[in-house]
């Protein structure tokens, strides 16, 4: 697979909660950097930490949570994905739309690093009554 195809597969795995596929896409020493100010934003090490701390946590907090992709930018060993988080917060029932960019670094067709840049105010606004 090309690096772009790897990232497209990562989003498929995320949408379908295919955590085994996600683990296969990532290196053992994966670094996953959530935006400062993002709910539970911090740096996670390893695919299992990302699955528990990011993906499963999002599923508990949000209804219909997803990342709508506007475009991919292929930059050799990096892929940038521009889009928006959308969903509805389970507790407040407020809708969410927050623009974001995801930057993936790859080595040998595996994701070794992720960094997110997101509009955290829009996210927090949907979480507060």
């Amino acid at each position: 697979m090309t690096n772009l195809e790897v990232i497209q597969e990562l989003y498929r795995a995320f949408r379908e909660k295919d955590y085994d596929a996600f683990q296969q896409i990532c290196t053992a020493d994966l670094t996953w950097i959530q935006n400062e100010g993002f709910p539970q934003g911090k740096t996670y090490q390893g695919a299992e930490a990302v699955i528990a701390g990011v993906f499963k946590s999002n599923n508990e907090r949000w209804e219909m949570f997803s990342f709508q992709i506007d475009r991919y930018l292929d930059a050799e060993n990096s892929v940038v994905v521009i889009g928006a988080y959308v969903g509805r917060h389970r507790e407040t029932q407020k809708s969410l739309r927050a623009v974001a960019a995801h930057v993936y670094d790859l080595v040998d067709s595996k994701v070794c690093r992720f960094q997110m840049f997101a509009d955290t105010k829009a996210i927090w606004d949907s979480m507060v009554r």
Side-chain angles (χ1 to χ4, degrees):
M1 284 195 288
T2 67
N3 285 342
L4 181 57
E5 291 169 333
V6 169
I7 299 308
Q8 290 169 331
E9 171 63 7
L10 182 143
Y11 283 102
R12 183 212 59 81
F14 174 69
R15 276 190 312 274
E16 297 177 13
K17 298 175 180 57
D18 185 349
Y19 301 131
D20 290 334
F22 176 76
Q23 289 179 310
Q24 294 299 314
I25 291 167
C26 300
T27 62
D29 62 347
L30 171 69
T31 298
W32 193 272
I33 305 166
Q34 297 275 116
N35 229 76
E36 281 188 36
F38 193 80
Q40 295 181 310
K42 66 178 191 174
T43 299
Y44 295 86
Q45 297 295 326
E48 288 184 21
V50 174
I51 291 166
V54 178
F55 298 154
K56 289 183 178 179
S57 178
N58 284 342
N59 293 336
E60 292 171 5
R61 206 174 320 142
W62 301 95
E63 293 178 8
M64 304 178 310
F65 183 83
S66 66
F67 186 73
Q68 292 181 340
I69 298 167
D70 292 330
R71 65 182 163 151
Y72 295 94
L73 304 170
D74 192 347
E76 295 183 22
N77 292 325
S78 297
V79 175
V80 179
V81 184
I82 308 294
Y85 292 107
V86 295
R88 184 173 53 238
H89 193 263
R90 287 190 191 281
E91 184 179 320
T92 67
Q93 291 297 298
K94 288 184 181 179
S95 294
L96 163 68
R97 177 166 172 75
V99 295
H102 295 165
V103 180
Y104 297 91
D105 296 328
L106 296 96
V107 61
D108 298 327
S109 297
K110 289 191 175 243
V111 176
C112 63
R113 185 175 187 273
F114 163 87
Q115 186 164 8
M116 163 220 288
F117 300 90
D119 179 358
T120 58
K121 182 176 184 324
I123 296 166
W124 282 106
D125 285 350
S126 69
M127 295 174 66
V128 177
R129 290 192 186 268

